[in-house]
Amino acid sequence: MKEFLSNYKRVLQTSKKGKKYFFRELFFSLINLVIGIVIPLFVAKQIVYLSNGNQLNELLYISIAIFIIGFVKETNWYLLGVTCRKVRLNIISEIKMISSKNILELSEKTIHESGSGTFIDRLTKDTENMADMYTHGTGYIANTIANLGIFVTLFVINKIVCLYYIVTSIVLTLVHLLRNKKVKKLDIIKRNYGDKVSSLVSELIRGEKDLKLLYSKEAFLNTMNDKIKISMEKDYNCKFTDLFYVYLINILSVIFALILIFLLIWLIKTEQLTASLAVVLFTYRTNVMTNFMENISLLLDEVRLFNTSCKRVFDLIDYNQFEKESFGNKNLKNIDGTFEFKNVKFAYDKEDVIKDLSFKINSGETVAFVGKSGSGKSTIFNLLGKLYDIKDGHIYIDGIDIKDLDEKSIRGNITIITQNPYIFNMSIRDNFKLIKANITDDEIMHSLKVACIDEYVNSLENKLDTVVGENGTILSGGQKQRLAIARAFVQNTKIILFDESTSALDNETQRNIQTAIDNLKGKYTILIIAHRLSTIKSSDRIFVIEDGKVVGEGSHQYLMENNKIYKKLYESENIEK
Ligand code: ADP
């Protein structure tokens, strides 16, 4: 109960618009409550007048009164429904936005370890479960309280029967509470396994092309089947326990109904009750034992779902299980573009991937990194972009340790063009607007020209309006990289990190990318992870990386003469693979 109240309050505090409509909802619910208490009293009188048969005028007045109250009740129900939906939609949208923002502030490590399913379900099912509390949930609370009005009527008609109803209701409520406690635990386990299935479903969609081409659909489906089976077992445990308690409650209700008949017979025999009132009291059995209990049961279900979902979403919002990225608070305004790695050590897991790495890059330099696959080149980029925190040593940008810099000073000054840059499923123009909201078409075309992709975009039927598909499906690897270079040009950051595509690009594309990079040279500090000789030769300096360390540094000519590792890489004619 305490957990529920604090969650209930917190959701309303989180959703400002939801809170605004909630007070309106509360007002309509109160009217509902008053009507709920008044109607049974009127209906009881109506039944008595009907069974007496000689108070027809009273019967007419009470029937008109019931009609008016009924009309008010239905109008109020409609207004309550409209308001509830407004509360629900506002809560969903506001909590989804806060959760999405927080996901983008999580550390890379947390995101990779948790899997996408963990976040997808929290953003979809859980936010909806939370919001449901303010629609169905509020309805159940109002109905439950309104149904309490029936006890007032019962008390007026016969105190013994009223007491019997109270005792049986308490017994049934206790069983419901027990059911709720047991099912809640199983529900949390079930949801965690559900997250794993959702992660796989998201991978199935994202990796469908590779699964087809690798001819490994069956193997993936088998893995998925295993996970679904476990998830189903947990779901079954949860549903079975729930079903058992519902069965127990139904059996108890049947037994209580039989005892009620015996009680009514005794009351009639001992002349404590007339037969007509006994009929009235027996009809309330449905209201008390079925409707009332059903409402309580639905309310408890809703509360359980609400509490579980609140925990999952608040864990994300409060970063309980999830680690947030951390930044310093120093701000770098006019960046020069120099940076330095000093005795840097780093490990993704246990083993060090970067081992005592030191180098310095000057402003405006174009530098290439070469080395075997897995030697740690891309990791250097990840560390410069502060996607991960280092274990030891320092990374300086313009002489300031990046640990002390704020997010904008790092990410706002560095552009990383990865091997497979993510192009969003929107038009080419909108992809650019993500970087600069007020960008003009001329500016976009200019940046496309710098990146040597203007001709291709112009050849498309819808030009800048072309929607590129999920992760730019309509674009080739080389085109995506050139579009990313154009984005980098618009971003206009002083430092550009370019992870050259390992995929075999045709000579023309390769030349285009080379020209695109040459166009950026001088004004920017450029770091290239090179997989091809042509890129390396035109660089100011080349670093040879092996096993997370710099094992050679100099121009192409110098390294050819003085560095065996570089010479071997060069002679293999395939620098990276
Ligand atoms: P390169 O770019 O030189 O090919 P990377 O920097 O990508 O090498 O990788 C260096 C090492 O770190 C490799 O052994 C790789 O398996 C490992 N690695 C890369 N990314 C991750 C990650 N996200 N989690 C764990 N290990 C990783």
Side-chain angles (χ1 to χ4, degrees):
M1 189 65 184
K2 208 172 140 199
E3 184 190 357
F4 167 72
L5 287 178
S6 88
N7 284 335
Y8 200 83
K9 212 167 121 191
R10 183 160 174 200
V11 172
L12 286 179
Q13 275 164 353
T14 313
S15 166
K16 293 197 177 58
K17 278 192 194 154
K19 189 175 175 182
K20 192 180 104 190
Y21 286 111
F22 175 73
F23 287 111
R24 219 179 280 177
E25 183 183 334
L26 209 63
F27 172 73
F28 291 126
S29 300
L30 278 174
I31 296 182
N32 211 28
L33 171 68
V34 174
I35 294 172
I37 294 171
V38 169
I39 279 194
L41 281 171
F42 278 61
V43 172
K45 277 224 169 286
Q46 191 185 36
I47 295 173
V48 172
Y49 292 150
L50 256 176
S51 47
N52 285 351
N54 55 1
Q55 289 175 288
L56 293 179
N57 272 346
E58 285 83 347
L59 179 64
L60 186 68
Y61 297 145
I62 202 108
S63 300
I64 291 171
I66 290 175
F67 164 77
I68 294 170
I69 297 172
F71 184 77
V72 173
K73 184 180 174 224
E74 294 314 321
T75 311
N76 187 64
W77 173 86
Y78 171 74
L79 294 174
L80 180 63
V82 171
T83 320
C84 279
R85 274 154 192 78
K86 282 188 181 161
V87 175
R88 183 176 190 276
L89 292 177
N90 280 301
I91 288 178
I92 290 181
S93 62
E94 281 177 84
I95 300 225
K96 262 187 190 160
M97 279 315 292
I98 294 173
S99 308
S100 306
K101 180 175 165 283
N102 281 37
I103 290 172
L104 288 178
E105 285 178 3
L106 293 178
S107 74
E108 280 298 298
K109 198 164 181 268
T110 288
I111 292 186
H112 285 152
E113 281 171 4
S114 313
S116 52
T118 312
F119 304 109
I120 293 171
D121 278 8
R122 278 172 167 82
L123 277 183
T124 50
K125 280 189 216 154
D126 288 311
T127 36
E128 302 211 349
N129 285 347
M130 282 163 82
D132 281 347
M133 188 67 224
Y134 299 84
T135 46
H136 316 154
T138 312
Y140 298 143
I141 295 176
N143 284 349
T144 306
I145 301 174
N147 276 332
L148 282 175
I150 293 165
F151 286 99
V152 178
T153 315
L154 290 172
F155 187 79
V156 173
I157 300 176
N158 189 288
K159 294 181 185 56
I160 298 173
V161 176
C162 179
L163 185 69
Y164 176 76
Y165 273 133
I166 290 176
V167 172
T168 51
S169 298
I170 290 174
V171 173
L172 290 175
T173 308
L174 288 177
V175 182
H176 269 294
L177 286 173
L178 188 67
R179 164 190 169 220
N180 212 47
K181 198 174 153 199
K182 298 258 183 209
V183 175
K184 185 184 168 188
K185 264 195 210 151
L186 296 171
D187 194 39
I188 291 179
I189 300 173
K190 176 191 105 179
R191 301 290 297 278
N192 288 340
Y193 279 90
D195 281 352
K196 294 195 174 102
V197 175
S198 297
S199 282
L200 272 178
V201 172
S202 119
E203 291 208 56
L204 175 98
I205 313 278
R206 279 186 291 138
E208 58 79 32
K209 195 164 148 196
D210 289 68
L211 285 174
K212 282 178 193 160
L213 294 175
L214 286 166
Y215 196 61
S216 52
K217 285 190 283 190
E218 207 168 315
F220 187 85
L221 288 176
N222 285 341
T223 315
M224 199 158 166
N225 195 25
D226 294 343
K227 290 251 167 24
I228 288 177
K229 262 193 194 156
I230 301 176
S231 168
M232 282 297 126
E233 268 169 34
K234 304 293 169 194
D235 201 355
Y236 175 78
N237 281 349
C238 184
K239 293 217 164 73
F240 172 77
T241 311
D242 195 29
L243 205 65
F244 170 76
Y245 277 96
V246 173
Y247 169 71
L248 187 67
I249 289 161
N250 288 344
I251 293 288
L252 278 175
S253 303
V254 176
I255 295 170
F256 289 155
L258 184 68
I259 298 172
L260 177 66
I261 290 283
F262 293 146
L263 179 67
L264 291 174
I265 292 172
W266 175 74
L267 286 172
I268 295 170
K269 269 192 172 172
T270 53
E271 292 182 358
Q272 296 182 60
L273 194 70
T274 62
S276 59
L277 278 179
V279 173
V280 174
L281 289 174
F282 192 72
T283 18
Y284 277 130
R285 187 182 55 91
T286 333
N287 289 55
V288 178
M289 284 187 193
T290 313
N291 294 357
F292 182 62
M293 289 318 302
E294 203 171 273
N295 242 303
I296 289 202
S297 152
L298 289 170
L299 176 62
L300 291 176
D301 277 349
E302 200 73 37
V303 168
R304 175 172 50 79
L305 273 179
F306 174 72
N307 281 342
T308 311
S309 292
C310 279
K311 181 170 173 0
R312 285 161 57 86
V313 171
F314 291 149
D315 272 351
L316 177 64
I317 292 181
D318 298 336
Y319 303 105
N320 280 345
Q321 290 170 26
F322 306 101
E323 186 190 278
K324 193 184 174 189
E325 285 191 300
S326 62
F327 294 97
N329 45 26
K330 275 194 190 157
N331 186 261
L332 245 182
K333 279 208 177 90
N334 298 315
I335 185 175
D336 197 28
T338 65
F339 58 87
E340 184 182 0
F341 271 53
K342 203 169 177 187
N343 308 112
V344 172
K345 282 190 189 150
F346 169 74
Y348 286 106
D349 298 310
K350 282 187 191 122
E351 210 178 315
D352 282 357
V353 170
I354 298 293
K355 301 165 183 167
D356 202 19
L357 183 71
S358 297
F359 62 84
K360 195 170 175 187
I361 314 279
N362 302 315
S363 172
E365 255 191 314
T366 299
V367 171
F369 285 85
V370 297
K372 278 192 242 152
S373 174
S375 56
K377 302 181 297 294
S378 304
T379 305
I380 297 174
F381 282 15
N382 290 341
L383 297 181
L384 247 177
K386 209 172 179 292
L387 288 175
Y388 298 90
D389 288 325
I390 55 175
K391 232 169 92 177
D392 210 355
H394 300 275
I395 299 173
Y396 299 104
I397 299 181
D398 279 8
I400 304 174
D401 197 318
I402 62 166
K403 275 186 203 143
D404 301 326
L405 287 173
D406 62 13
E407 186 181 4
K408 193 175 172 207
S409 299
I410 304 170
R411 309 256 168 92
N413 283 317
I414 298 177
T415 305
I416 303 186
I417 303 165
T418 60
Q419 282 194 29
N420 188 11
Y422 200 92
I423 311 290
F424 294 91
N425 189 11
M426 351 171 142
S427 70
I428 295 175
R429 183 185 290 103
D430 287 343
N431 265 285
F432 279 87
K433 281 192 184 287
L434 280 181
I435 297 161
K436 191 175 169 192
N438 56 356
I439 193 167
T440 62
D441 282 3
D442 283 348
E443 280 177 277
I444 298 176
M445 285 320 293
H446 178 59
S447 65
L448 292 174
K449 198 172 169 60
V450 172
C452 302
I453 190 155
D454 53 324
E455 278 181 26
Y456 169 73
V457 174
N458 276 330
S459 73
L460 295 169
E461 196 186 333
N462 295 320
K463 300 197 167 46
L464 289 178
D465 288 319
T466 311
V467 177
V468 296
E470 208 165 307
N471 191 17
T473 14
I474 66 155
L475 303 166
S476 72
Q479 285 164 343
K480 270 202 248 181
Q481 277 217 321
R482 278 183 282 154
L483 211 54
I485 294 174
R487 276 197 313 206
F489 185 76
V490 172
Q491 228 165 336
N492 199 21
T493 60
K494 192 72 194 177
I495 301 171
I496 297 175
L497 313 180
F498 182 67
D499 197 347
E500 196 189 62
S501 175
T502 41
S503 53
L505 301 177
D506 62 80
N507 285 341
E508 199 191 334
T509 309
Q510 178 60 38
R511 249 196 324 276
N512 280 334
I513 290 183
Q514 188 58 50
T515 316
I517 293 173
D518 286 345
N519 286 340
L520 303 175
K521 271 184 188 166
K523 277 190 271 170
Y524 304 88
T525 307
I526 304 174
L527 252 78
I528 303 166
I529 293 181
H531 306 283
R532 254 165 286 272
L533 312 183
S534 50
T535 335
I536 294 162
K537 280 184 174 170
S538 59
S539 306
D540 298 328
R541 273 192 297 162
I542 299 164
F543 285 98
V544 186
I545 307 289
E546 189 162 273
D547 203 16
K549 279 181 292 207
V550 175
V551 293
E553 176 196 340
S555 66
H556 169 69
Q557 205 54 42
Y558 174 83
L559 288 170
M560 281 302 282
E561 285 162 16
N562 298 291
N563 191 294
K564 279 188 197 154
I565 300 174
Y566 181 78
K567 194 162 183 261
K568 207 170 145 198
L569 280 168
Y570 179 76
E571 280 168 357
S572 71
E573 281 238 294
N574 192 349
I575 297 273
E576 216 259 343
K577 285 178 227 164

